[in-house]
Amino acid sequence: MKPPSVFLGLLLLLLLGVLLALSVGKFSLSVPEVVQALLRQGSENAQTVVWNVRLPRILAAIVVGAALAAAGVAYQGMFRNPLVAPDILGAAAGAGFGASLAILLSLPILLIQGLAFVGGMLAVGLVYFMAQAVRRHDPVLVLVLTGVAVGTLFSSGTSLIKVLADPSVQLPSITFWLMGGLNGVTSKELPLLTGLVGLGLIPLILLRWRINLLSLPDEEAASLGVHVGRLRLVLIVAATLMTSAAVAVTGIIGWVGLVVPHAARLLVGPELSRLLPVAMVLGGLFLLVADTLARTAALIEIPLGILTAAVGVPVFLALLMRGGRS
Amino acid sequence: MLELSDLTVGHRGRAVLRSINLRLESGQVAVLLGPNGSGKTTLIRTLLGHLPPLWGQVWLGRQPLREWSRVALARTLAYVPQAHQGLFAFTVEEVVLMGRTAHLGVFALPSQADRRIAQAALEQMGIPHLAEKPYTEVSGGERQLALLARALAQEAQVLVLDEPTSNLDFGNQLRVLAQLEALRDQGKAVFLSTHQPEHARRVADQVLLVGEGSVLGQGSPQTWLTPENLGRLYRVEPQHIEAYLGNFR
Amino acid sequence: MMPMRRRTFLAFLAALPFLKGGAKAQSNRLTRLFGPPLRSPIRRIFVAGPPSAVMAYVLTPERMLGWPTQLSAPAREFVLPVVRDLPVFGRLVGSSATVSVETLLSLKPDLILDVGTVDATYLSSAERISQQTGIPYALVDGRLTESVQQLLELGELLGVQERAQRLAAYARASLAEAARFRAGGRRPRVYLARTATGLETGLEGSINVEVIEVAGGANVAAAAGRGGLTRVSFEQLLSWQPDIILTQDAQFFQLTQTDPLWGRLRAVQNKQVYLLPSLPFGWLDGPPGVNRLIGLRWLVRRLNAGAEPIDWRAETRLFYRLFYGQEPSAAQLEVILKTL
């Protein structure tokens, strides 16, 4: 299949997904009722469900899925490793720490999200500056190792907070947050989320050709005229912005940023100007399907992180086995 | 085109190779020979601007290397590494197009004109049929030709090659050598390192023998690629070399 | 072991005549003891978790060795000075247990007190810890409906029968009142909102929402099944349309008052959202201990029109004096009762 037709096909699937997701849910509405509500007619509750509950959640799932996929594309290219996820530099661990701290301090939702965002950015900032101080080794290796170390440090901080938290009140909330979920998303979060993700996406789109070259060894890319260090910094900032914004709203959702870029690469190849749009649509679709399952498959809300892992892990293992053979 | 004057190269202040002097003009090939660990790679990294010289100077055109900007340098000097596996399945054409990056604006994609240049480079290397094939799935020799095509698409006057024939089968070695000669005849200045003296004899205008931290010999291949000199360089008996390669003279 | 067994046996004999009419305190129906026999007097009590801490505090505050979690700054003001600055040891059992055996040994407690869920996991860990440390371990079934018996059995065990009986009397009255109203009539549909988003609650059978059922309400989330805590979506709430929303989270209460989305719920429109006090311990939960007895009285009145009204200022003063050892100041009362 030619890349444009893959992209259009996925876009069509996404549209179908949106329509399906709009018409299923815990509040029972028939398809005609949903259509009516979309046209701002029918019962007020139906309109509330469609416009204020389902639509924001659907859009958030798409934006977050696309953001995590885009960040995954950037990180996998930049770290020359197809098994890298957007939280490789500690963004998720930092966000988890920030959110846990806010829950421990009984702060309002906006500050929980705010601290999660700041925590994610802070963790990656810390990783970057610490890695800059190490000059003796391959910069990519140093970044990844520092990321693992700092991520572990923030995760330990989160564990400490869980120990300090009230076990019947705060601890469950922290646990739920760390498992991820879109059940609390409202139309209030959407503009800022979309804005931050869009901001992070701009450098990715503008620099899409050059990012391809980061998958070469540093000195080879440099000899082709790329400022490797500068480009990598720009990408880290952009990808971290997107990851932190996404994670701040949804809690920790793993595997999307790892698996989706891979699948997209199988569809249209690694060249970024083709890969990026396909990966983003695929990421949006993946998370939309996962979240729709999360809110409809059982009587209770299934934590989203559990579902994305349930799908992501088998795919990941399949990719590993494929990689092992070649 | 490329001139090394009293150059000492090394890492973090520790010299690996001292007192190198070399002039390489357009339409010439210089070949670097030396045993493992003699500092060939360090010298090449210095020529590419990844390592600062510890002493002396690398001149490219009329300017010292360190005064060249990254982009201007990439337009003038192209690097051909040993063919690597490649990480993602870029097509061969895309790999060659990467050579056009230094000629593109920061935010630009390769244009139709860039594609034509890439196509011509593929044709010159005799691999236009591979354009749509994934780089990760073609043979080692084809990958090396693709990287040569990339350097060609880079439209640089000077080519620096790091053991371009190692890991290739006999036929591919000959193919790469033939392409190097063609590039020389087009007026490129070519600097390459190799482990195979017979390759040096075939393409070199001058050879540079390095070992034990310094230049052991330098000049025409006829003068320097004798069994005696090679025996000294690689620490083997000259008879063995003669038995294997025949007498160069 | 011998004296212990004989005592259990004697207790059993003594209790025989009363077994039909309800167990007596000394029957130790709820308490399982592990490890060596208890040596009176018990002066040093190590509490295993938050409900145990509340129990130890209301019976014998001066014997507590520490807290399982940090008391918040405002909560400190509500408890007796003798326990305000006790160290925080963390929890002994469960997923984020932090107390090491060495810490436990170095504290030399006479008893480890653990009030809460009794199941195979907790039984085995109680047995293991008592064996490992050689410290007596009392595991007590912590259900709200068993509050009277819990207080009496532990009063007996700790030698504070008189105080325990006074507290048990309150518990008995509170539970009896609830039982009376629970018997008849329609059960109002209640949603207990947790966390700042309000979109977390307890399923049927969850200890965190136990008080709803005891007070004669119907937990709307029971529709989603049995189990522990869960997240819910707003559209689920829209379809449940609870009559009453309860919370202990001030951030969430604020949200219901300002957010138009929450305004879509009938309970919010009818001003049936209540922020219950959480100082020093929650009225509904947090922890699930005897601290809920006053919340139960309040909830019974909220859910059943027939219950005679109470002066909440007086009742709060009474409960806090009785259980927590000191009356709240006028300013503190104001804070607690503001949103009731």
Side-chain angles (χ1 to χ4, degrees):
Chain A
M1 257 200 295
K2 281 263 182 279
S5 53
V6 171
F7 181 70
L8 288 177
L10 284 173
L11 216 53
L12 200 69
L13 271 180
L14 185 65
L15 195 68
L16 281 176
V18 169
L19 293 177
L20 180 75
L22 268 177
S23 45
V24 296
K26 292 277 159 55
F27 192 96
S28 78
L29 287 176
S30 65
V31 173
E33 279 176 311
V34 170
V35 175
Q36 266 195 330
L38 273 175
L39 301 170
R40 292 274 185 208
Q41 288 164 0
S43 84
E44 278 200 39
N45 274 348
Q47 289 189 33
T48 305
V49 167
V50 170
W51 281 96
N52 298 348
V53 182
R54 285 186 195 165
L55 210 52
R57 189 164 172 170
I58 288 167
L59 293 178
I62 294 172
V63 171
V64 168
L68 291 176
V73 164
Y75 275 131
Q76 289 181 1
M78 156 166 59
F79 291 117
R80 300 197 289 266
N81 187 339
L83 299 181
V84 149
D87 47 10
I88 183 79
L89 293 187
F97 177 77
S100 304
L101 189 64
I103 294 171
L104 181 72
L105 299 174
S106 302
L107 299 178
I109 306 165
L110 195 66
L111 281 176
I112 297 177
Q113 292 170 344
L115 273 187
F117 179 73
V118 171
M121 296 295 283
L122 187 78
V124 178
L126 214 60
V127 168
Y128 187 79
F129 286 110
M130 278 164 66
Q132 285 300 100
V134 182
R135 297 217 163 268
R136 295 176 69 104
H137 303 281
D138 172 24
V140 168
L141 184 70
V142 170
L143 269 174
V144 171
L145 288 179
T146 319
V148 170
V150 170
T152 307
L153 204 63
F154 274 94
S155 300
S156 312
T158 307
S159 299
L160 179 67
I161 291 174
K162 286 168 88 171
V163 166
L164 296 175
D166 182 318
S168 62
V169 180
Q170 295 160 333
L171 186 57
S173 304
I174 294 175
T175 310
F176 277 125
W177 197 92
L178 293 175
M179 289 193 289
L182 286 160
N183 69 318
V185 172
T186 65
S187 44
K188 273 179 290 185
E189 278 99 0
L190 270 178
L192 192 59
L193 170 67
T194 314
L196 287 172
V197 169
L199 200 63
L201 204 55
I202 291 172
L204 254 65
I205 294 173
L206 287 178
L207 295 164
R208 62 198 184 284
W209 175 254
R210 274 166 197 256
I211 297 170
N212 287 324
L213 276 74
L214 280 189
S215 66
L216 302 171
D218 280 5
E219 294 188 352
E220 196 179 328
S223 75
L224 291 167
V226 175
H227 292 275
V228 177
R230 253 189 259 168
L231 184 56
R232 193 178 284 135
L233 174 60
V234 170
L235 284 194
I236 288 176
V237 171
T240 304
L241 191 68
M242 290 193 287
T243 309
S244 301
V247 169
V249 171
T250 64
I252 291 175
I253 295 174
W255 301 100
V256 181
L258 194 158
V259 169
V260 169
H262 241 293
R265 222 175 272 121
L266 289 178
L267 287 173
V268 295
E271 202 278 304
L272 213 86
S273 57
R274 273 178 284 132
L275 177 63
L276 192 61
V278 168
M280 288 180 67
V281 176
L282 198 60
L285 181 65
F286 178 82
L287 207 59
L288 177 64
V289 171
D291 184 54
T292 306
L293 280 177
R295 64 191 174 89
T296 56
L299 284 168
I300 57 165
E301 289 261 334
I302 305 170
L304 191 51
I306 292 176
L307 276 179
T308 54
V311 178
V313 172
V315 176
F316 177 78
L317 292 176
L319 292 171
L320 264 187
M321 283 178 221
R322 232 179 78 97
R325 239 183 288 135
S326 68
Chain B
M1 211 43 229
L2 183 68
E3 186 174 352
L4 318 182
S5 62
D6 198 16
L7 183 68
T8 295
V9 297
H11 305 272
R12 272 175 253 126
R14 239 187 31 242
V16 176
L17 200 50
R18 291 169 203 280
S19 309
I20 313 156
N21 288 286
L22 179 87
R23 275 181 74 90
L24 179 64
E25 300 298 341
S26 295
Q28 279 192 350
V29 177
V31 177
L32 177 65
L33 283 160
N36 288 330
S38 59
K40 295 197 301 295
T41 302
T42 309
L43 173 56
I44 284 184
R45 291 184 65 205
T46 309
L47 291 187
L48 296 172
H50 301 314
L51 282 177
L54 295 185
W55 187 259
Q57 197 70 268
V58 179
W59 291 83
L60 184 62
R62 299 216 173 91
Q63 272 180 313
L65 191 67
R66 61 180 150 75
E67 288 176 16
W68 284 76
S69 77
R70 177 122 283 162
V71 173
L73 183 61
R75 288 181 187 167
T76 309
L77 186 147
Y79 169 56
V80 181
Q82 273 181 55
H84 42 62
Q85 288 279 311
L87 173 66
F88 297 126
F90 287 106
T91 64
V92 169
E93 187 195 21
E94 283 160 357
V95 169
V96 175
L97 274 173
M98 288 182 188
R100 298 301 301 159
T101 305
H103 299 272
L104 298 174
V106 177
F107 302 139
L109 285 179
S111 65
Q112 279 307 317
D114 293 312
R115 281 175 201 284
R116 276 194 296 275
I117 292 169
Q119 191 58 38
L122 283 169
E123 272 160 25
Q124 187 180 337
M125 291 298 137
I127 49 170
H129 55 288
L130 298 179
E132 296 298 320
K133 284 259 172 64
Y135 174 83
T136 46
E137 288 169 23
V138 301
S139 75
E142 289 167 335
R143 284 204 288 266
Q144 193 67 63
L145 289 173
L147 293 183
L148 270 168
R150 184 181 75 184
L152 201 61
Q154 207 169 333
E155 296 182 327
Q157 270 309 299
V158 183
L159 298 182
V160 176
L161 302 92
D162 191 5
E163 300 182 13
T165 52
S166 60
N167 306 322
L168 297 190
D169 69 26
F170 187 61
N172 279 323
Q173 290 183 4
L174 294 186
R175 253 169 235 127
V176 168
L177 287 178
Q179 294 300 348
L180 285 179
E181 285 172 320
L183 289 169
R184 177 195 61 198
D185 295 343
Q186 283 171 19
K188 308 272 186 197
V190 180
F191 184 95
L192 77 143
S193 69
T194 182
H195 279 305
Q196 284 152 298
E198 70 272 30
H199 294 170
R201 192 179 66 152
R202 174 162 161 195
V203 298
D205 295 297
Q206 53 175 321
V207 292
L208 193 63
L209 272 54
V210 297
E212 290 162 4
S214 62
V215 177
L216 297 179
Q218 181 173 9
S220 76
Q222 285 75 17
T223 319
W224 283 100
L225 296 183
T226 61
E228 291 73 30
N229 285 335
L230 289 173
R232 209 150 47 87
L233 186 65
Y234 292 111
R235 294 166 184 279
V236 282
E237 295 297 321
Q239 306 88 282
H240 290 159
I241 293 178
E242 201 164 336
Y244 178 62
L245 291 176
N247 194 327
F248 275 99
R249 266 174 296 212
Chain C
M1 277 318 283
M2 219 23 227
M4 182 63 205
R5 242 188 241 155
R6 186 175 298 144
R7 207 167 64 184
T8 318
F9 181 64
L10 287 176
F12 180 65
L13 279 187
L16 259 184
F18 309 100
L19 275 181
K20 266 216 159 89
K24 282 282 164 184
Q26 56 267 51
S27 73
N28 282 350
R29 185 162 58 84
L30 302 177
T31 309
R32 298 282 300 265
L33 280 169
F34 296 90
L38 284 173
R39 268 180 313 208
S40 327
I42 294 163
R43 289 216 180 78
R44 298 168 65 82
I45 302 176
F46 185 90
V47 293
S52 329
V54 175
M55 183 58 86
Y57 174 68
V58 300
L59 286 172
T60 57
E62 69 287 349
R63 299 186 201 171
M64 287 176 75
L65 293 174
W67 293 100
T69 53
Q70 186 80 45
L71 281 182
S72 69
R76 272 167 54 91
E77 303 295 317
F78 282 87
V79 297
L80 293 169
V82 64
V83 297
R84 276 183 200 164
D85 298 314
L86 286 178
V88 176
F89 292 120
R91 296 186 288 287
L92 184 59
V93 286
S95 55
S96 3
T98 50
V99 183
S100 72
V101 172
E102 275 189 45
T103 312
L104 209 50
L105 286 172
S106 70
L107 288 169
K108 297 193 181 69
D110 301 316
L111 176 72
I112 299 168
L113 177 62
D114 189 353
V115 183
T117 310
V118 176
D119 61 17
T121 312
Y122 286 96
L123 283 169
S124 62
S125 81
E127 186 165 17
R128 191 175 47 80
I129 291 169
S130 63
Q131 263 171 12
Q132 207 177 358
T133 58
I135 301 167
Y137 194 119
L139 180 62
V140 186
D141 183 342
R143 274 173 297 171
L144 180 61
T145 44
E146 299 286 9
S147 300
V148 177
Q149 188 72 11
Q150 287 156 19
L151 287 161
L152 291 178
E153 285 183 21
L154 286 171
E156 183 85 24
L157 195 74
L158 302 174
V160 287
Q161 292 91 336
E162 197 191 326
R163 172 157 179 77
Q165 265 157 17
R166 270 187 287 133
L167 301 184
Y170 186 98
R172 191 179 290 119
S174 176
L175 286 164
E177 183 181 65
R180 208 163 60 238
F181 285 102
R182 199 162 56 228
R186 174 184 168 280
R187 290 152 73 89
R189 297 157 48 72
V190 182
Y191 176 69
L192 200 158
R194 299 163 54 90
T195 82
T197 61
L199 293 175
E200 189 192 303
T201 193
L203 295 165
E204 186 184 6
S206 156
I207 194 170
N208 303 93
V209 295
E210 193 185 11
V211 65
I212 297 176
E213 302 277 337
V214 176
N219 176 15
V220 289
R226 287 188 65 83
L229 294 171
T230 183
R231 278 179 159 185
V232 299
S233 72
F234 189 78
E235 82 177 80
Q236 255 170 320
L237 272 170
L238 263 180
S239 63
W240 288 336
Q241 286 292 4
D243 301 316
I244 294 183
I245 297 174
L246 304 174
T247 187
Q248 285 182 173
D249 192 301
Q251 307 291 354
F252 168 67
F253 182 74
Q254 195 58 37
L255 187 72
T256 61
Q257 304 305 301
T258 53
D259 189 306
L261 188 60
W262 284 89
R264 304 284 329 150
L265 292 177
R266 274 204 298 277
V268 178
Q269 289 158 9
N270 300 338
K271 302 211 180 310
Q272 293 296 308
V273 185
Y274 297 96
L275 174 62
L276 276 97
S278 52
L279 293 174
F281 309 111
W283 280 27
L284 298 176
D285 180 23
V290 289
N291 44 305
R292 295 174 293 177
L293 289 165
I294 185 170
L296 179 62
R297 292 209 81 184
W298 180 87
L299 193 54
V300 164
R301 268 156 193 75
R302 186 50 58 199
L303 299 181
N304 303 284
E308 67 276 18
I310 288 185
D311 172 1
W312 281 104
R313 300 180 73 82
E315 181 72 13
T316 308
R317 275 203 293 267
L318 171 77
F319 182 84
Y320 278 53
R321 186 175 61 233
L322 190 60
F323 279 76
Y324 303 147
Q326 64 176 23
E327 273 186 22
S329 68
Q332 283 175 328
L333 260 184
E334 203 55 46
V335 173
I336 298 180
L337 299 176
K338 194 169 53 186
T339 53
L340 278 185

